[in-house]
Amino acid sequence: MTATTKAPSAQEWVEAFTQANDNDPEIGAHGKYFTCSYLLDMEDHLFVIRMNAGKVAEITIDPGPLDVAYQFAIKASSATWREFGADMPKPMFHGIWAATFQRDMRLEGDILVLMQNLRCVTRQIELLRTTGIPCLNA
């Protein structure tokens, strides 16, 4: 039996994601140099996440194309992000590399910065299982 949960609003998600990240022991242990800005394109919403030493410094909701700079982007359909947010993701939705093999997820921009911060970004994607996904289309 599965329970249906309401998707959080974009602002509720920002607050939950910030708290989950900033209190996560794994990111705390690995995030000393996790300082970058990146875009999560969830189709229904865009988020630019600015990290500083493993803590969320700022999350901008739905910025315009020139409003906020970022170094790399992770883009996928809202359906893919919903699968990432499941308690037990289906095969090929458990990580960004698997999802890119399906060709629904794209990694763009300065991939070197992504690779330098891969462990922390991967952990942040895993946190979506607790914070939910702020997508409107179901």
Side-chain angles (χ1 to χ4, degrees):
M1 180 169 155
T2 59
T4 17
T5 57
K6 177 184 168 285
S9 71
Q11 187 58 47
E12 289 169 337
W13 180 81
V14 165
E15 293 164 10
F17 185 81
T18 299
Q19 183 176 11
N21 177 90
D22 291 355
N23 294 314
D24 186 71
E26 186 172 336
I27 292 176
H30 294 285
K32 181 177 181 181
Y33 299 106
F34 183 25
T35 299
C36 63
S37 293
Y38 68 95
L39 173 83
L40 284 182
D41 181 343
M42 294 186 173
E43 191 174 39
D44 298 323
H45 290 289
L46 302 173
F47 300 94
V48 174
I49 301 170
R50 187 167 57 88
M51 299 298 301
N52 186 20
K55 301 290 184 188
V56 173
E58 180 180 26
I59 299 179
T60 305
I61 303 169
D62 297 325
L66 300 176
D67 290 346
V68 182
Y70 55 88
Q71 293 159 298
F72 62 90
I74 304 173
K75 300 178 176 186
S77 69
S78 56
T80 292
W81 286 113
R82 277 194 302 277
E83 291 294 338
F84 267 88
D87 288 337
M88 181 70 70
K90 293 178 185 174
M92 304 308 285
F93 295 101
H94 61 281
I96 60 175
W97 302 115
T100 60
F101 295 145
Q102 298 219 116
R103 301 187 189 271
D104 184 49
M105 181 168 277
R106 295 169 318 284
L107 308 174
E108 299 175 355
D110 192 344
I111 302 303
L112 176 60
V113 176
L114 169 61
M115 296 305 289
Q116 290 168 331
N117 296 289
L118 186 59
R119 182 61 223 139
C120 290
V121 171
T122 299
R123 179 62 187 146
Q124 284 185 326
I125 299 298
E126 292 169 354
L127 290 175
L128 297 177
R129 296 175 193 152
T130 60
T131 64
I133 305 295
C135 296
L136 301 176
N137 296 331

